[in-house]
Amino acid sequence: MKKGRPYRDPVVFEELVCAFCRGRGRDPFDIMSSLSTCCVCGGSGKVLVQAPAVACAHCQGTGAVKTLTCTTCGGSGSVSRPLQPTVSCSVCKGSGDDASAPAMACLKCRGKGWIIEQLRKGKRVHE
Ligand SMILES: [Zn+2]
Ligand SMILES: [Zn+2]
Ligand SMILES: [Zn+2]
């Protein structure tokens, strides 16, 4: 019988105000109609993001790129950050934007502005 930590840590979600509609639950850009519900939160005004949540770089936490839902965070304005060490994306310099088309997410980091640190394989072995 083993005691101690569970096999997997439970997934924790943070409840955040929907960035796309700013918690109003309505389509902020009246794309369908001013009465249509926000496609991100389904009208609840809140979104759940896996903890720890950090602001999305691509939309700067607004959930929208121009009038479109941000493809990086799905419109919530936040993305969950992995537990692994991350480094700033060298392609977009952390902005999350594609250099040729700022409305597009950076292909390398997928708009997050950071990537999981890749430990390079080399001849030297850690420890
Ligand atoms: Zn919403
Ligand atoms: Zn975003
Ligand atoms: Zn990038």
Side-chain angles (χ1 to χ4, degrees):
M1 282 284 283
K2 275 191 187 173
K3 273 188 179 178
R5 293 192 305 177
Y7 189 64
R8 270 189 300 183
D9 290 328
V11 177
V12 180
F13 288 91
E14 290 182 40
E15 190 179 69
L16 304 167
V17 172
C18 175
F20 194 63
C21 65
R22 296 194 173 85
R24 285 175 304 199
R26 307 266 176 191
D27 183 346
F29 301 113
D30 301 352
I31 292 165
M32 303 297 277
S33 122
S34 60
L35 295 175
S36 65
T37 52
C38 171
C39 59
V40 175
C41 59
S44 68
K46 295 201 162 78
V47 288
L48 290 174
V49 178
Q50 196 175 321
V54 292
C56 172
H58 185 43
C59 63
Q60 296 170 318
T62 63
V65 176
K66 294 184 179 170
T67 60
L68 298 170
T69 314
C70 173
T71 51
T72 300
C73 59
S76 67
S78 302
V79 292
S80 59
R81 185 155 200 156
L83 297 174
Q84 297 101 312
T86 57
V87 289
S88 186
C89 176
S90 58
V91 174
C92 64
K93 306 277 190 290
S95 72
D97 300 336
D98 189 283
S100 59
M104 303 281 286
C106 169
L107 293 173
K108 185 169 175 74
C109 62
R110 299 218 201 110
K112 290 175 181 167
W114 44 263
I115 53 172
I116 293 171
E117 189 174 23
Q118 300 284 327
L119 297 172
R120 293 199 183 176
K121 285 181 187 164
K123 283 179 183 169
R124 276 190 303 166
V125 179
H126 244 351
E127 288 282 16

